[in-house]
Amino acid sequence: MTTISTDGLAAVTLAELNAAASLLTRVDRKYLLPVHAAQDLVHALGGAQVLQIGRRRSFAYASTYFDTPDLDSYYLAARGRRRRFKVRTRSYLDSDLTFLEVKTRGGRHTTLKSRTEYDRTDLLTEPGRRFVAECLATSGACPQARADEVADTLMPALSTTYERTTLHLPADGARVTIDTTLTWSHPSAATGEAGETYQACGYAVVETKNPAVPSPVDRLLWAAGYRPTRVSKYATGMALLHPGLPANKWHRVMHRELAGGEHRELAQAGARPPTSVPAVGLRELVGARRRAEVPGRPPGALTRPRFSRGHSTCMRAAPDAPTDSFHQCPA
């Protein structure tokens, strides 16, 4: 099973979702789950809504990430530098829309995401490079001269594709995205040429996007034994495809959750891949078991892992773009 079933969930339109939970400033947490556990999670979410456009509830995405010849974007992330950046094109294949996006880091674990509509998926045009340079300079990621230098040397470094299902929790003003069939490849492989490809067989990336406090989805996953993990589509993919790169930050994801060999073979054979923790069945946690009882705490008190802090994200459109330009495609 690679597609998440949302039968039984009420539909929400894109306009309704954006009006209710645009979440321009939010706290993000990512989890890596076997697909069957992600499906159990959906079944456990009573009252959730699913984004539906036309008759579709799952949408195909494709991205190309850009980096300098020295892989500055990757190394800044690997070394945990605060002033780091990420540049990519994101294509919504079902609606034939593409955006050029620049993500930079700010204070207090915030992420500033700027984007503009774009007409290319696999290369940067001169206007695109100027947009990137402006975003890097105005965000404080680097001085203007360095921003111009970075923008002028960016080249395709990694391609990704995946299917996304977006859920809305109206009572909490939160969103949940579930990505399946995640595939990383060299840009040449994405264009049909020979190149190595790696697929996260049997796994789903679940990301919660909350206004401030953890959502019921976070609490449900914590009670089931799942914890937030470091899953960067760009950095993890680069580390998988280039084993010589420093990757301590993503070691657990690569060598436990996404381990090759036996785990990968089981996933490809259709068996349920093992998880790194003995997670309790998510559906069994509905109701009273959503609240785990801990010695010394009152019955029903919620467990809260020490490392539950996520990352805040702020999104803005290009300076000359319509203010709602980033609401024209699925979340």
Side-chain angles (χ1 to χ4, degrees):
M1 176 183 63
T2 56
T3 302
I4 298 297
S5 172
T6 55
D7 295 342
L9 294 186
V12 60
T13 67
L14 184 59
E16 292 170 339
L17 179 64
N18 286 327
S22 57
L23 295 179
L24 303 186
T25 302
R26 68 198 187 202
V27 177
D28 300 342
R29 295 179 179 86
K30 292 181 180 178
Y31 304 85
L32 192 63
L33 277 66
V35 172
H36 69 86
Q39 184 63 71
D40 288 348
L41 174 66
V42 173
H43 290 320
L45 293 176
Q49 301 172 330
V50 59
L51 174 63
Q52 180 171 319
I53 300 177
R55 295 185 176 182
R56 298 190 65 88
R57 290 188 167 192
S58 180
F59 306 94
Y61 284 55
S63 295
T64 297
Y65 290 86
F66 299 86
D67 210 335
T68 65
D70 293 330
L71 299 182
D72 289 328
S73 177
Y74 179 85
Y75 278 101
L76 288 171
R79 293 165 180 165
R81 299 293 189 263
R82 186 175 70 84
R83 297 188 181 279
R84 55 185 186 262
F85 65 90
K86 190 181 299 180
V87 179
R88 71 185 178 198
T89 57
R90 170 175 279 184
S91 299
Y92 301 85
L93 303 182
D94 299 301
S95 54
D96 197 28
L97 283 173
T98 297
F99 288 83
L100 175 61
E101 302 182 342
V102 181
K103 297 177 71 174
T104 56
R105 294 298 298 272
R108 296 182 176 273
H109 298 277
T110 60
T111 300
L112 180 62
K113 180 176 173 179
S114 305
R115 60 197 248 168
T116 184
E117 284 198 52
Y118 201 59
D119 58 0
R120 299 300 301 263
T121 62
D122 57 347
L123 60 82
L124 290 177
T125 62
E126 187 59 29
R129 294 183 187 276
R130 300 286 67 80
F131 171 76
V132 172
E134 180 182 0
C135 292
L136 294 178
T138 57
S139 67
C142 49
Q144 184 66 61
R146 175 57 180 163
D148 292 337
E149 179 183 355
V150 168
D152 288 339
T153 58
L154 289 173
M155 60 182 62
L158 182 76
S159 296
T160 64
T161 59
Y162 53 95
E163 293 275 335
R164 169 165 290 185
T165 301
T166 300
L167 306 180
H168 175 219
L169 281 63
D172 302 276
R175 289 189 189 189
V176 181
T177 59
I178 304 175
D179 297 340
T180 58
T181 64
L182 173 60
T183 300
W184 293 279
S185 62
H186 293 288
S188 58
T191 59
E193 301 177 20
E196 187 177 0
T197 296
Y198 192 101
Q199 185 173 11
C201 299
Y203 286 93
V205 178
V206 176
E207 185 169 4
T208 62
K209 308 166 192 289
N210 313 313
V213 298
S215 72
V217 174
D218 293 294
R219 300 180 187 280
L220 190 58
L221 289 169
W222 296 345
Y226 293 100
R227 296 293 182 260
T229 189
R230 291 172 172 171
V231 183
S232 163
K233 288 187 176 70
Y234 174 59
T236 305
M238 288 290 287
L240 287 168
L241 294 175
H242 303 278
L245 290 175
N248 289 345
K249 190 174 181 180
W250 305 283
H251 183 273
R252 178 186 177 90
V253 172
M254 294 170 56
H255 297 284
R256 297 188 66 175
E257 282 88 347
L258 291 177
E262 179 184 358
H263 291 200
R264 193 174 180 183
E265 291 170 5
L266 286 170
Q268 291 175 335
R272 292 184 175 184
T275 175
S276 62
V277 294
V280 180
L282 285 162
R283 277 186 282 190
E284 286 74 9
L285 289 169
V286 180
R289 294 192 65 178
R290 287 186 181 180
R291 298 179 176 273
E293 295 185 6
V294 179
R297 293 190 180 184
L302 288 169
T303 55
R304 187 184 186 93
R306 295 178 182 176
F307 43 89
S308 64
R309 182 174 64 180
H311 298 286
S312 299
T313 298
C314 302
M315 186 186 293
R316 64 180 173 86
D320 56 349
T323 56
D324 62 343
S325 65
F326 44 79
H327 294 316
Q328 299 172 2
C329 42

